[in-house]
């Protein structure tokens, strides 16, 4: 599908450029022009409108479809290759780049937003897992939002992928705030036993164990469930503002 652009014009002619929504549409347009007029054209993704145009292969902008908006990241490196990652300003640019790589080289790629640099990168499809769209406001030790997974299976799959990349074991646990999503942690459930509260008691009059964060409380709840076969969950106390298990 093609149409005249409202914002982009040819530098030589000054006429509105033809724009395409996808690289496939642009390649079909280039093929049509080649067959009808005998002119070779190459698609490129416009950095201004984020849509596809055509240009002769001899022009600078058509020599590489992504050279105008693709650049190397200053901070992010591939966990497996160790090489500098390519970064993209918008999701649309990253998605189109993934399509281009998949169609040209046969490598299935997916786009994702990096939580470190806030830019977009590409990753092999077999190393990506589905994240949940829910936000539980849980933070990691660096103060960044934790990744959320829609199921325990997705979280475990992600843990396996990261173990292959870093050889670091991660544990899976249910979010203490929203029990329909899951997180990963470096912590071991066996290491968290909490401390006795000086304010809050249970129904039997015994002081409860308290935890500074929901993650620690959930990890101890997992260990209690495994050890005693009794399922317990963490909750945030409105009186002491700490976390308990019950």
């Amino acid at each position: 599908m093609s149409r005249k652009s409202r914002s982009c014009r040819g530098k030589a002619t000054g006429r509105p450029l033809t724009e395409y929504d996808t690289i496939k549409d642009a390649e079909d347009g280039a093929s049509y022009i080649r067959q009808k007029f005998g002119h070779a054209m190459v698609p490129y993704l416009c950095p201004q409108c984020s849509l596809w145009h055509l240009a002769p292969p001899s022009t600078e902008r058509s020599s590489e479809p992504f050279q105008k908006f693709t650049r190397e990241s200053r901070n992010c490196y591939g966990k497996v290759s160790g090489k500098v990652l390519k970064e993209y300003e918008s999701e649309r640019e990253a998605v189109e780049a993934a399509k281009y790589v998949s169609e040209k080289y046969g490598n299935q790629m997916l786009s994702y937003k990096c939580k470190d640099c806030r830019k977009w990168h590409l990753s092999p499809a077999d190393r990506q897992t589905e994240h949940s769209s829910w936000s539980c406001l849980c933070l990691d030790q660096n103060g960044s939002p934790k990744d959320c997974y829609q199921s325990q299976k997705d979280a475990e799959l992600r843990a396996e992928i990261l173990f292959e990349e870093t050889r670091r074991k991660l544990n899976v646990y249910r979010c203490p705030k929203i029990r329909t999503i899951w997180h990963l942690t470096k912590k071991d459930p066996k290491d968290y036993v909490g401390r006795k509260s000086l304010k809050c008691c249970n129904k039997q009059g015994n002081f409860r164990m308290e935890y500074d964060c929901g993650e620690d409380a959930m990890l101890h709840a997992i260990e209690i469930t495994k050890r005693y076969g009794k399922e317990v969950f963490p909750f945030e106390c409105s009186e002491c503002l700490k976390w308990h298990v019950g």
Side-chain angles (χ1 to χ4, degrees):
M1 182 177 180
S2 64
R3 58 185 174 272
K4 293 296 182 181
S5 175
R6 295 182 179 181
S7 56
C8 300
R9 294 178 177 271
K11 291 184 178 180
T13 63
R15 297 176 181 176
L17 295 176
T18 302
E19 64 184 19
Y20 304 85
D21 291 325
T22 66
I23 185 174
K24 187 178 185 306
D25 292 340
E27 288 176 342
D28 290 342
S31 178
Y32 173 79
I33 292 174
R34 188 182 304 110
Q35 292 176 2
K36 187 170 184 178
F37 303 104
H39 299 156
M41 303 294 283
V42 177
Y44 69 93
L45 189 59
C46 178
Q48 296 178 349
C49 66
S50 296
L51 295 174
W52 291 86
H53 303 310
L54 299 179
S58 59
T59 59
E60 178 186 355
R61 62 171 43 186
S62 64
S63 60
E64 175 56 50
F66 301 105
Q67 69 177 10
K68 288 294 181 179
F69 63 88
T70 303
R71 60 176 179 272
E72 292 186 345
S73 174
R74 296 181 179 180
N75 305 311
C76 301
Y77 298 84
K79 293 182 179 179
V80 177
S81 65
K83 296 180 179 179
V84 178
L85 294 177
K86 299 290 186 181
E87 67 179 22
Y88 306 87
E89 290 291 339
S90 68
E91 181 180 12
R92 182 166 191 167
E93 292 173 355
V95 169
E96 292 294 345
K99 290 180 181 178
Y100 174 80
V101 172
S102 298
E103 293 175 5
K104 185 171 183 178
Y105 301 105
N107 299 330
Q108 192 66 29
M109 306 293 286
L110 294 177
S111 60
Y112 68 95
K113 190 171 185 179
C114 178
K115 65 179 182 179
D116 295 325
C117 68
R118 304 299 180 185
K119 303 292 185 181
W120 290 82
H121 304 308
L122 300 183
S123 173
D126 60 358
R127 307 203 75 78
Q128 285 289 311
T129 49
E130 188 172 359
H131 286 53
S132 172
S133 59
W134 286 88
S135 177
C136 60
L137 303 181
C138 291
L139 305 177
D140 60 19
Q141 60 183 2
N142 298 319
S144 301
K146 273 185 167 289
D147 289 333
C148 301
Y149 302 91
Q150 295 180 347
S151 67
Q152 183 178 2
K153 183 178 179 181
D154 290 339
E156 290 174 345
L157 177 59
R158 186 60 182 167
E160 291 176 3
I161 292 174
L162 293 176
F163 180 76
E164 292 177 2
E165 294 176 351
T166 64
R167 311 310 296 178
R168 179 180 296 173
K169 183 180 179 181
L170 297 175
N171 291 300
V172 175
Y173 71 97
R174 191 190 297 269
C175 177
K177 298 179 180 178
I178 302 177
R179 295 179 183 176
T180 56
I181 60 179
W182 297 76
H183 298 306
L184 300 179
T185 181
K186 302 174 185 176
K187 300 176 181 178
D188 191 330
K190 296 180 181 179
D191 297 336
Y192 290 86
V193 295
R195 60 180 178 272
K196 282 191 176 182
S197 173
L198 300 178
K199 296 181 179 180
C200 301
C201 299
N202 57 21
K203 294 181 180 180
Q204 289 75 30
N206 300 320
F207 286 111
R208 290 184 179 275
M209 301 300 291
E210 68 177 19
Y211 311 84
D212 292 326
C213 65
E215 180 179 344
D216 294 348
M218 177 56 81
L219 291 174
H220 194 206
I222 293 173
E223 185 62 21
I224 292 174
T225 301
K226 287 182 179 179
R227 184 175 299 180
Y228 302 105
K230 181 181 179 181
E231 191 171 17
V232 293
F233 292 99
F235 63 93
E236 190 171 14
C237 180
S238 59
E239 296 181 6
C240 66
L241 302 180
K242 299 291 184 180
W243 285 81
H244 304 306
V245 171

